[in-house]
Amino acid sequence: QVELVESGGGLVQAGGSLRLSCTASKRTFSTSPMGWFRQAPGKERLFVASISWSGMTTYADSVKGRFTISRDHAKKTMYLQMNSLKVDDTAVYYCAADRESNDHAPTIAGAYDYWGQGTQVTVSS
């Protein structure tokens, strides 16, 4: 069974930085899109950023200029560098991967087939 494992979440003050990692086991997604989503308490899961196998990226407007998504195919790992964090960024962050091979960077949760269990990011004021 494919597994995606997130790490790097935690508590940080507003204005601070965190780097999330998502590592895949049992298969590689080197030719598939991957993405990050987040869900705040009582709210729906929202798109944050996505990256195609070739490195094409897409960001939600709320994180543009502050977050950077990247991936290391050799390490089967995707990253989300989060800078200038705001209280509104507080959420559980999930990584996702598409089972299909294509050079897209989807923004819709339904486009992804595999999900991690999530990592909590809390930004204090």
Side-chain angles (χ1 to χ4, degrees):
Q1 183 176 347
V2 173
E3 185 177 56
L4 298 174
V5 179
E6 302 101 335
S7 62
L11 173 64
V12 64
Q13 286 190 325
S17 298
L18 284 173
R19 188 176 82 154
L20 305 183
S21 300
C22 172
T23 300
S25 66
K26 300 187 180 178
R27 66 160 284 182
T28 178
F29 294 99
S30 60
T31 60
S32 302
M34 297 186 73
W36 289 98
F37 290 76
R38 67 186 182 186
Q39 187 167 20
K43 297 190 176 181
E44 63 182 325
R45 189 170 298 188
L46 297 176
F47 169 75
V48 175
S50 59
I51 186 167
S52 73
W53 72 263
S54 67
M56 177 177 62
T57 59
T58 306
Y59 295 93
D61 288 343
S62 60
V63 306
K64 278 182 182 176
R66 300 188 297 121
F67 290 11
T68 302
I69 189 172
S70 61
R71 63 194 298 176
D72 184 328
H73 290 302
K75 295 182 179 179
K76 296 191 292 184
T77 299
M78 175 179 64
Y79 304 96
L80 185 68
Q81 178 66 44
M82 305 186 294
N83 299 328
S84 301
L85 282 161
K86 304 176 181 180
V87 173
D88 287 348
D89 294 320
T90 296
V92 177
Y93 284 70
Y94 298 91
C95 69
D98 187 345
R99 74 171 72 236
E100 302 294 333
S101 294
N102 62 73
D103 198 25
H104 299 154
T107 63
I108 301 172
Y112 295 92
D113 303 290
Y114 303 106
W115 292 84
Q117 292 186 312
T119 185
Q120 176 70 46
V121 172
T122 303
V123 184
S124 63
S125 59

